[in-house]
Amino acid sequence: MPLPTPVRATRLSFTSIVPSTTVSAASSIRRGFSSSALSVAAIPSVSALTAPRPHSSSLRRTIAPLVFTAASSAALCHSNMSATTLHPGVKKGSSATADAAAPGNATPLSSQQQQPASPHVVVRDLGDQGGASRDSAAPPQRLRRSFKDAVEVVEKMTSRKPNKCPDAYETTQRYLDRLGFAPILQRIRFVHIAGTKGKGTTSAYTAALLQAYGFKVGLFTSPHLTDMRERTVVDGRLLDETTYAQYFFEFLDKYEALQYSSSQLDRDIAAPSRANFFRFMFLLSLYIFEQESVEVAVMEVGMGGRIDSTNTVPAEVSVITALGYDHMEILGNTIEEIALEKAGIMKPNIMCFAAPQLDHPETRQVLEKHAKEVDAPLILLDKDVLPIRSWPRLAIGGVHAIEDSKLALMAARRIAGIPPILPLDEVERSVLQTMTFAGRSQIVPIDGGADVTVYLDGAHTVESIAGATEWFLEASAAATKDAAPRRVLVFYTSRDPKRIMKAFMPYVSQFCKIVVAQIANPRMTSHSADPSDVDGKMSQAREEMVASTECWRSLYREVPCLPCARPFETLEDILDLVIPAASDNEDAAKPAQVFICGSFYLVGDVVKLIRRYEAGERRHE
């Protein structure tokens, strides 16, 4: 019985179509079945719904790596992640393989994929058509081109107030054209992931699974926690600083050359006043992925979807994770408006997998309607859709991570040509059980956890904070084997605290106190103080802290609130606040279980402090 005609914007249950089977994806592929027409006795033929767009390298890359199942499983083992590990991804096992996969030192997959001696992409001399002209003024030459210099360039970019860029999509398209990036978009295969909650985690799972299938994978995410190289990862690893700096300045030269183009339109879009950091990093990621001969790139949307710079990639599959309220000043004031912006990543005849939207069921209709309008196949991943009943225990905690990993599996299998109806292969299970992602459900015992254990999660919306808090309550109880452990909240938000702090309402009785933090480098917004106005920036930070403190005391006066006068400078600054009891109701004899959330910027600050502490740095008294 063949699968029915592809369903457009409707709910599909694979369990009603396909009987159970014990044949694994890897074992089927190892026996030589075609990935686009895989069939065994227990499995009907796969329709266009499950078959990916044909690609010459797809079959080659999905057959070979899965032969080494035992080695792959061993290589994927990764249990507790220390704070110094940013993006472990899928680590290689043997020293030979590790050397081959070292950043900037990747071994080509075939003779056809040898990295060229010179960059793949050049700014073409387009004369009157635009582009860099021999007759136009030349950009200044940069003599300092180290990684430290690249960091300084980025710091200058991010110190400016951001442009809202209502024309971000059109401007990015112009950049892609003038930089000559069309061949990159044609060669690399793309997975595009949007959503409010869990899109970073979903992106990481997707990249790890694709890497386990044997593809060379690029991962573009934002924001970074401690190192800008986190935004552009190749095969689960950061590029070394020298290689990254080389690519960074090669691209920056081409990017800045447009300011000196013979085309007025080029000069207008490249004007410093219109500069956009996210767009720059997105374009840089494409350049890096091309130089590193990446085969599949997983691209996380920055904000929204419809007009986001990433929406310029020709994705083979798109994903929309759980939706919620965020960036309302740009995306809209209602959840339906926000959903429509996210749905903007759907493309005609390109499969889109979406979360079931349990937090906001009303968004389902928005997604379904838009899918029909653009003729995009849509599958809402409801409970009974994926016929895999036994889901492995994930290294990333929380119910939300299960949903994210299922979306990732569907997207990765789509690219690899593995039917979604097959049971999990042992390699896939190993990835799901071991993959971790810094700043997401991360647990770090301090000095063995005798006095303090830190739980880090960058959750910053009402929905994501609620989910992360549930994870923390469960994880802290399990770690201490205590039904009522001593729980402390360290929190920061740049959003409206009256709206955000309501997320804690069902759980507030579980905390003995809250520390309202400040952060070292707040995200610049259109409402931020001028970057050169030091007093204004300090005043703004104090106002945010005061607003959060007053809001907490108004909502939850029974839980003591300790405001911070300045950002944390050392880990001991945090320990001094969380270890002593703040009230008679707090049992100081118990080790403090400290939940840090509300902002990736706060999480990044704390990860840096923990790293220094683990390296032996101590506060000077």
Side-chain angles (χ1 to χ4, degrees), residues 207-248:
L209 286 164
L210 286 167
Q211 186 183 343
Y213 295 154
F215 292 96
K216 186 163 189 180
V217 183
L219 173 63
F220 174 69
T221 59
S222 61
H224 62 270
L225 292 182
T226 64
D227 189 320
M228 66 183 182
R229 292 176 296 161
E230 297 170 54
R231 292 174 179 255
T232 308
V233 175
V234 177
D235 272 355
R237 297 173 183 273
L238 302 184
L239 296 175
D240 66 78
E241 292 185 354
T242 300
T243 302
Y244 187 91
Q246 175 188 335
Y247 293 156
F248 182 93

Side-chain angles (χ1 to χ4, degrees), residues 19 43 51 56 180 214-215 235 271 278 290 296 333 337 413 415 470 475 484 491 502 514 573 602 607:
I43 304 177
S56 59
F215 292 96
D235 272 355
F278 180 82
E290 176 69 5
V296 182
N333 292 319
E337 289 176 315
R413 284 186 169 186
I415 290 292
E470 290 181 1
F491 184 79
K502 288 181 180 178
I514 177 179
D573 291 343
L602 173 62
V607 167

Side-chain angles (χ1 to χ4, degrees), residues 267-590:
R267 295 196 299 272
D268 287 344
I269 67 168
S273 61
R274 292 173 59 86
N276 178 272
F277 172 65
F278 180 82
R279 177 170 56 239
F280 174 86
M281 295 303 290
F282 163 67
L283 294 170
L284 173 63
S285 75
L286 294 179
Y287 183 81
I288 290 175
F289 292 158
E290 176 69 5
Q291 308 313 305
E292 288 289 313
S293 298
V294 160
E295 293 179 295
V296 182
V298 180
M299 312 299 286
E300 179 193 1
V301 168
M303 184 187 303
R306 179 179 61 86
I307 64 171
D308 191 74
S309 292
T310 61
N311 206 24
T312 54
V313 301
E316 287 187 35
V317 58
S318 59
V319 177
I320 299 176
T321 65
L323 301 178
Y325 289 97
D326 200 16
H327 303 298
M328 296 161 64
E329 71 280 4
I330 295 175
L331 303 182
N333 292 319
T334 69
I335 195 64
E336 290 83 3
E337 289 176 315
I338 294 171
L340 188 58
E341 287 294 320
K342 307 285 186 180
I345 70 167
M346 295 180 187
K347 302 292 191 300
N349 301 311
I350 299 300
M351 177 63 70
C352 179
F353 298 105
Q357 309 304 335
L358 300 179
D359 293 326
H360 298 283
E362 61 271 32
T363 62
R364 293 169 62 97
Q365 184 177 355
V366 176
L367 298 179
E368 291 172 344
K369 180 181 178 182
H370 187 74
K372 289 179 180 177
E373 289 175 351
V374 301
D375 197 28
L378 170 66
I379 292 181
L380 289 156
L381 209 60
D382 293 320
K383 183 178 179 181
D384 296 328
V385 168
L386 195 61
I388 301 174
R389 300 303 178 206
S390 176
W391 205 253
R393 183 179 180 86
L394 306 178
I396 298 178
V399 175
H400 58 284
I402 297 174
E403 181 175 283
D404 298 338
S405 64
K406 289 181 177 180
L407 288 168
L409 180 73
M410 298 292 279
R413 284 186 169 186
R414 178 84 179 172
I415 290 292
I418 301 173
I421 55 178
L422 292 177
L424 285 174
D425 182 79
E426 58 186 276
V427 174
E428 293 170 328
R429 283 185 177 275
S430 185
V431 171
L432 298 176
Q433 289 170 335
T434 60
M435 204 284 292
T436 57
F437 197 35
R440 283 82 169 175
S441 304
Q442 182 178 359
I443 304 175
V444 185
I446 306 300
D447 293 328
D451 293 318
V452 174
T453 297
V454 173
Y455 301 74
L456 298 146
D457 197 288
H460 52 273
T461 68
V462 172
E463 297 84 1
S464 61
I465 287 173
T469 303
E470 290 181 1
W471 160 75
F472 166 66
L473 297 180
E474 180 181 342
S476 57
T480 59
K481 297 180 174 58
D482 184 348
R486 181 185 174 207
R487 297 185 177 104
V488 181
L489 175 63
V490 177
F491 184 79
Y492 165 82
T493 183
S494 60
R495 293 160 170 79
D496 178 9
K498 293 181 181 179
R499 181 172 59 88
I500 296 298
M501 285 188 169
K502 288 181 180 178
F504 295 107
M505 193 167 290
Y507 319 107
V508 68
S509 62
Q510 304 294 321
F511 292 95
C512 61
K513 63 178 173 249
I514 177 179
V515 175
V516 176
Q518 296 189 41
I519 60 175
N521 295 293
R523 178 173 62 94
M524 291 293 294
T525 69
S526 57
H527 305 293
S528 298
D530 188 274
S532 62
D533 184 2
V534 177
D535 290 338
K537 291 173 66 177
M538 292 179 62
S539 175
Q540 178 183 330
R542 283 195 298 269
E543 289 174 4
E544 286 182 346
M545 181 269 295
V546 169
S548 293
T549 300
E550 291 178 347
C551 180
W552 182 273
R553 288 174 175 170
S554 172
L555 291 171
Y556 314 118
R557 62 182 63 187
E558 68 275 19
V559 177
C561 180
L562 308 178
C564 292
R566 62 180 184 275
F568 303 124
E569 296 179 354
T570 66
L571 183 64
E572 290 94 327
D573 291 343
I574 301 176
L575 301 182
D576 287 347
L577 289 168
V578 302
I579 292 178
S583 69
D584 294 337
N585 296 326
E586 183 178 352
D587 187 353
K590 293 183 177 182

